[in-house]
Amino acid sequence: MTEVIFPPLMSGLAVTGREDPFHTACLQAAVGCDAGLVVYNLSPDSLRAAIVFAPEVPLQDALAMLPVCGVGFQNALGALAPPEVAVHLEWGGGLRINGAKCGQLRVAAGTKAPGEVPDWLVVGLSLPLWPKGDETGHTPDQTALYAEGCADVEAPRLLESWARHTLNWIARWDEEGVKPVHGEWRGLVHGMGEEITQNGQTGSFLGVDERFGMLLRHKGDTTLIPLTTLLEDL
């Protein structure tokens, strides 16, 4: 396996086969591993990884790490891919490359209480490198990285770049607050101003509040969907 080198304050744990790095990272976090651990599984057709965080703020604020990791991914791929490749972020963690769905971010934490400081928080990334089948015409809204002109982007280098850019945005969030992350993320979000369905609710995606909660308008009423609704049960 090609060596993956992480920036200071981060460390790597490689897993192989069918082991899910997201679940492994959550288990490691629950037993008390250091923050900054990146668990990853690189296979010929996919890149899967997860970063462990040790928040010092309530969960409702710590969940900013989900959009932070999304911005980090966009910056990472943007630095390695051809300039014509467009990367956008769905509010719910979905990733889009050149308009088509390509991978997902997911999140879990040691608590689901918004006002409680979680013992740990994990953000996972899954990215298909090659399409599952030889024919992609049956699923035009689904794609894979190497089908979008990114065949020269090596998975280990993309993982390293994601870690570096995410760490940079964590530092900015820590020093400057949520405003710079908010501004960068808004320029990348997919579907703003369009009618979408989220958590079983359909409406016009107006934007987000200061904690990245989705503002959804339907028939004159505006609903707030907080990021806490994206937390996975383990």
Side-chain angles (χ1 to χ4, degrees), residues 66-98:
L66 182 65
V68 161
C69 287
V71 170
F73 175 80
Q74 189 277 337
N75 289 182
L77 185 55
L80 297 173
E84 65 271 16
V85 174
V87 183
H88 291 92
L89 311 171
E90 295 182 355
W91 179 85
L95 305 172
R96 286 182 175 257
I97 297 180
N98 293 334

Side-chain angles (χ1 to χ4, degrees), residues 2-5 42 47 76 80 153-162 164:
T2 303
E3 182 181 8
V4 181
I5 301 173
L42 303 180
L47 183 165
L80 297 173
V153 177
E154 299 177 359
R157 305 293 80 82
L158 178 57
L159 177 57
E160 292 171 346
S161 186
W162 180 52
R164 287 195 307 271

Side-chain angles (χ1 to χ4, degrees), residues 151-174:
D152 291 334
V153 177
E154 299 177 359
R157 305 293 80 82
L158 178 57
L159 177 57
E160 292 171 346
S161 186
W162 180 52
R164 287 195 307 271
H165 284 281
T166 296
L167 189 61
N168 175 64
W169 278 102
I170 293 170
R172 290 198 63 183
W173 172 80
D174 189 47

Side-chain angles (χ1 to χ4, degrees), residues 7-65:
L9 304 180
M10 286 184 164
S11 60
L13 174 63
V15 298
T16 59
R18 301 182 67 179
E19 186 170 352
D20 182 359
F22 180 74
H23 285 107
T24 299
C26 291
L27 290 173
Q28 291 284 329
V31 299
C33 72
D34 291 336
L37 177 67
V38 183
V39 185
Y40 61 96
N41 188 333
L42 303 180
S43 68
D45 61 357
S46 70
L47 183 165
R48 293 181 291 158
I51 302 176
V52 175
F53 300 92
E56 298 179 350
V57 296
L59 177 65
Q60 59 190 358
D61 298 309
L63 279 170
M65 291 304 99

Side-chain angles (χ1 to χ4, degrees), residues 102-116:
C102 185
Q104 179 76 31
L105 292 169
R106 53 200 295 211
V107 64
T111 181
K112 285 192 174 183
E116 184 176 327

Side-chain angles (χ1 to χ4, degrees), residues 205-220:
F205 181 15
L206 299 181
V208 294
D209 70 358
E210 67 278 4
R211 293 192 173 105
F212 294 94
M214 174 181 278
L215 299 172
L216 201 63
R217 190 165 184 81
H218 178 66
K219 293 183 178 179

